[in-house]
Amino acid sequence: MNKVAGVTIIGAGPAGIAAAIQLKRYGITPLLLEKNMLGGLLRNANLVENYPGFPVGISGLHLTSLFEEQLKNLSIQPIKAGVTRVKFEDGLFLVETGTSVYYSQIIVVASGTKPVQLTGFDIPASLQGKIYYQVVPLLQESGVVIAIVGAGDAAFDYALNLAKTNQVIILNRGFAHKCLPLLWERAELDPNIRYFDNACIESIYSNQEGGMMVQYKVIEGTSNFQVDYLVGAIGRVPNTGFLSDQVTEQREELQSAGLLYFIGDVKNDIYRQASIAVGDGVRSAMQIFRTEKGLFS
Ligand SMILES: Cc1cc2nc3c(=O)[nH]c(=O)nc-3n(C[C@H](O)[C@H](O)[C@H](O)COP(=O)(O)OP(=O)(O)OC[C@H]3O[C@@H](n4cnc5c(N)ncnc54)[C@H](O)[C@@H]3O)c2cc1C
């Protein structure tokens, strides 16, 4: 089925939600497409302490549930759909999902990032379902052992979140951790977190009971342990694979014309923070309103 929209926002993380809220204030109801859960990556955050308004911090799940409530109060109804392709033809964008095609005058890309996949070892098919790149699906787990690969803020934040009810092992391929000092200090004090640096996974294999074994190399030699889950936190890259080559080539031109916007983590390089994403969202809505004023009247 084909449908027409003035503004289509791809992704309902903090950036896309903020853009939708601000557009609504201008009387513009955008089409908000989200392939997963509302709130995006922020749902994984253990404790958000740098988002103004929450003096003692707030969990990512709680904060994003408030975002969701705000959308509801404003009668913005996101559509659960993953965008597979965005094309630009005859002055209109074609936004394809598995089941629909939407025509749109303006596109706001708020699709965040995707994880860098773990490489360097094979993962047997029987264990593929035990590998994750976010922690939200694991937050109900209790009493299990989880290995996290990485050494940045996300790895340590994931560890602190999961260690509330589980045993966590952090494997850092390098020598130095790259996380905020306060996350390092909290992890050091947490009896449920063990940290190994210069620890490189050599293989993942299944033991006789079907459990997941992780064999890793440290300076002293090779060691292994059994884990229930493995979480990759070795970086993230912009998520724009759904843009056609033509849109990618015309990106700057379309942006200058006020037809295409990139907001939040998808374009923020190392400055990936919810408050920056929200600011981008509000800014894009203001720009849309200012430059396209006559368009929606
Ligand atoms: C563990 C962790 C802790 C963090 N802690 C903090 C913190 O304390 N403070 C802070 O400010 N920030 C924190 N962050 C960063 C914060 O989560 C991000 O900066 C923020 O979520 C970025 O928002 P975004 O909307 O740009 O992208 P995202 O949150 O990544 O949202 C993008 C959305 O787009 C959707 N999407 C992607 N592709 C498609 C498609 N093809 N079709 C439809 N939908 C699509 C995704 O499903 C997702 O919901 C943390 C991040 C992590 C991982």
Side-chain angles (χ1 to χ4, degrees):
M1 204 197 323
N2 297 342
K3 300 160 192 177
V4 181
V7 182
T8 299
I9 302 172
I10 302 172
I17 289 174
I21 290 170
Q22 184 68 14
L23 283 168
K24 188 75 185 190
R25 299 186 74 207
Y26 292 124
I28 300 165
T29 302
L31 176 67
L32 180 57
L33 302 174
E34 170 55 53
K35 69 173 177 184
N36 211 329
M37 303 288 284
L38 295 186
L41 194 60
L42 190 62
R43 288 165 46 77
N44 291 275
N46 179 44
L47 187 63
V48 181
E49 294 171 287
N50 60 351
Y51 196 92
F54 302 96
V56 293
I58 182 168
S59 75
L61 279 177
H62 189 181
L63 181 54
T64 54
S65 76
L66 296 175
F67 290 173
E68 190 171 349
E69 198 178 320
Q70 198 165 348
L71 284 181
K72 262 196 205 122
N73 290 346
L74 290 168
S75 304
I76 300 167
Q77 287 163 345
I79 291 177
K80 180 141 187 162
V83 173
T84 51
R85 207 92 198 122
V86 175
K87 299 179 198 161
F88 187 67
E89 286 172 12
D90 302 325
L92 273 184
F93 289 99
L94 266 75
V95 181
E96 298 174 2
T97 69
T99 49
S100 300
V101 176
Y102 300 91
Y103 289 91
S104 189
Q105 287 165 311
I106 292 173
I107 295 287
V108 180
V109 178
S111 50
T113 52
K114 57 185 179 185
V116 174
Q117 303 290 301
L118 294 168
T119 53
F121 47 85
D122 292 329
I123 300 166
S126 63
L127 300 177
Q128 297 276 357
K130 294 173 186 280
I131 313 290
Y132 288 87
Y133 290 92
Q134 293 196 28
V135 295
V136 170
L138 297 175
L139 292 180
Q140 301 304 319
E141 293 292 342
S142 175
V144 302
V145 181
I146 302 168
I148 297 174
V149 183
D153 288 343
F156 278 81
D157 195 272
Y158 286 165
L160 289 163
N161 211 348
L162 294 169
K164 289 172 191 162
T165 52
N166 304 287
Q167 295 294 317
V168 176
I169 299 158
I170 303 176
L171 296 175
N172 176 7
R173 287 179 298 186
F175 280 107
H177 55 272
K178 299 173 206 134
C179 64
L180 285 170
L182 64 90
L183 294 179
W184 170 256
E185 283 156 23
R186 287 172 193 169
E188 261 195 320
L189 290 174
D190 193 319
N192 288 339
I193 298 178
R194 281 183 291 158
Y195 169 81
F196 298 92
D197 53 24
N198 199 36
C200 198
I201 295 183
E202 288 187 319
S203 69
I204 305 278
Y205 59 95
S206 176
N207 64 15
Q208 284 183 338
E209 293 76 40
M212 176 158 57
M213 299 300 296
V214 175
Q215 180 174 310
Y216 65 100
K217 204 172 100 186
V218 283
I219 291 174
E220 298 79 32
T222 296
S223 197
N224 62 45
F225 47 71
Q226 182 171 351
V227 299
D228 295 285
Y229 299 103
L230 184 66
V231 178
I234 57 171
R236 303 186 67 89
V237 291
N239 187 12
T240 52
F242 50 82
L243 297 176
S244 69
D245 291 346
Q246 179 222 7
V247 170
T248 304
E249 277 159 27
Q250 285 183 261
R251 178 171 168 161
E252 280 183 23
E253 202 183 310
L254 292 166
Q255 282 182 270
S256 302
L259 299 176
L260 180 64
Y261 296 81
F262 289 82
I263 60 173
D265 280 14
V266 72
K267 63 103 184 154
N268 281 341
D269 194 21
I270 59 165
Y271 302 103
R272 293 181 187 153
Q273 294 291 316
S275 44
I276 298 176
V278 163
D280 284 349
V282 173
R283 178 195 291 265
S284 68
M286 292 180 75
Q287 287 170 335
I288 289 168
F289 180 65
R290 287 171 69 90
T291 55
E292 304 299 327
K293 253 195 261 189
L295 207 58
F296 303 98
S297 55

